[in-house]
Amino acid sequence: PMLKKSIAVVFAIALAMTATVASAQCNIAAYADPGGTQSTFNPTEGETFSIFVVLFVEEAAAAAAYSMTYPQGSSGMFFTGRFTGPSGDGLVIGEPANGQPTIAALGECVIGFDGFPVLIDEYQFVVLPGFLGGPVVLGPNPVEDPDFPVYVTCTDIKKPCDVGADFQVGPVIPTEASSFGSIKSLYN
């Protein structure tokens, strides 16, 4: 009987530790869609497109803090707008210049259980002529945590989060029409 109680206690402690570790895992990354399924995008010249910052976490989230760098310059992506939280009405603390830290308060408690993606931010860009592409990289907000992006639970607990794979914005696909003859001449 004593051995059974000891085994039961050890099993309960192990189960509790596993549940704690599993609930603390999260991943934040940039995607081409709010569902967090597309990690590449090839824009056309002059096209307006969005980059979505998505959090995958097994609990409810209310805010996130991170930094983001993206290709820019005289022939790059031009930032046109930002919408925070699933409703787009969240609060932004520190408007992100390229690579600068930002905090996004979602304006609501968003459930992330069962792999449900939590939309943190939508950034809108327009592609300028001659854009060569490049990665969109998320990183820590050093004011909140020097090593990891963080998210805040709906009970105001700040937790670190892993960064997912970089989002790749490909080179511009030309919008000029090409005749069949010009394409055929490439192979002669």
Side-chain angles (χ1 to χ4, degrees), residues 119-171:
L119 178 59
I120 301 296
D121 275 309
E122 175 185 357
Y123 294 88
Q124 289 184 340
F125 295 90
V126 66
V127 178
L128 302 175
F131 177 58
L132 300 175
V136 175
V137 180
L138 265 60
N141 177 330
V143 174
E144 299 299 323
D145 186 304
D147 300 316
F148 298 100
V150 297
Y151 72 100
V152 177
T153 69
C154 293
T155 56
D156 292 329
I157 299 171
K158 183 171 62 170
K159 296 183 176 183
C161 195
D162 292 329
V163 176
D166 295 345
F167 174 71
Q168 183 66 37
V169 181

Side-chain angles (χ1 to χ4, degrees), residues 4-26:
K4 283 185 179 181
K5 279 187 177 180
S6 297
I7 291 172
V9 169
V10 169
F11 180 73
I13 291 171
L15 184 61
M17 288 174 55
T18 303
T20 303
V21 170
S23 68
Q25 294 177 352
C26 88

